[in-house]
Amino acid sequence: AKRLELRLLQKEVASKLGVDEMTVCNWEKNHSSPMLHLLAKIIDLLGYDPKTSEAKTLGEKVLQYRKSHGITQKELARRIGVDWRH
C-alpha cells in the first residue's frame, strides 16, 4: 500500500534496492521476506518500517532494532563486546 501511495512501480523499487522485480512481487504477496541487509534500505525508501509492531520486551526491541538497521546477531554482539554464541 505504501509503495502505491508513493506512486512507485515494483520495477522502480526493485531497481532502487538492487533486486529483481519478481522479488518485490513475492515480498508483497508474502511468498518470501527481504534479506536482512535490505531492510534498512526498504525502510529508508518507504519512509517507515512496514514490519514494525509494538515491541514490548527488551528482546523484541533489540530484534526490531537489529532488523531495521540490517545488523546480524553476530555483528551486534561484536559491536557491544559480547560472545554471540551463548
Side-chain angles (χ1 to χ4, degrees), residues 3-14:
R3 175 183 63 77
L4 295 175
E5 181 183 312
L6 295 171
R7 299 176 188 223
L8 292 170
L9 300 172
Q10 287 179 339
K11 185 177 189 175
E12 293 171 309
V13 171

Side-chain angles (χ1 to χ4, degrees), residues 5 9 13 42 46 54 59-60 62 70 72-74 76 82 84:
E5 181 183 312
L9 300 172
V13 171
I42 293 168
L46 296 178
E54 189 60 40
E60 290 171 342
V62 170
T72 63
Q73 285 180 324
K74 184 177 181 178
L76 180 61
V82 298
W84 68 277

Side-chain angles (χ1 to χ4, degrees), residues 2-3 6 8 12-14 16-17 39-48:
K2 184 66 172 181
R3 175 183 63 77
L6 295 171
L8 292 170
E12 293 171 309
V13 171
K16 290 175 186 270
L17 297 174
L39 291 178
K41 290 180 182 179
I42 293 168
I43 292 166
D44 187 50
L45 178 67
L46 296 178
Y48 86 109

Side-chain angles (χ1 to χ4, degrees), residues 49-63:
D49 184 349
K51 297 284 188 177
T52 297
S53 62
E54 189 60 40
K56 295 175 182 80
T57 67
L58 177 59
E60 290 171 342
K61 290 177 183 180
V62 170
L63 179 62

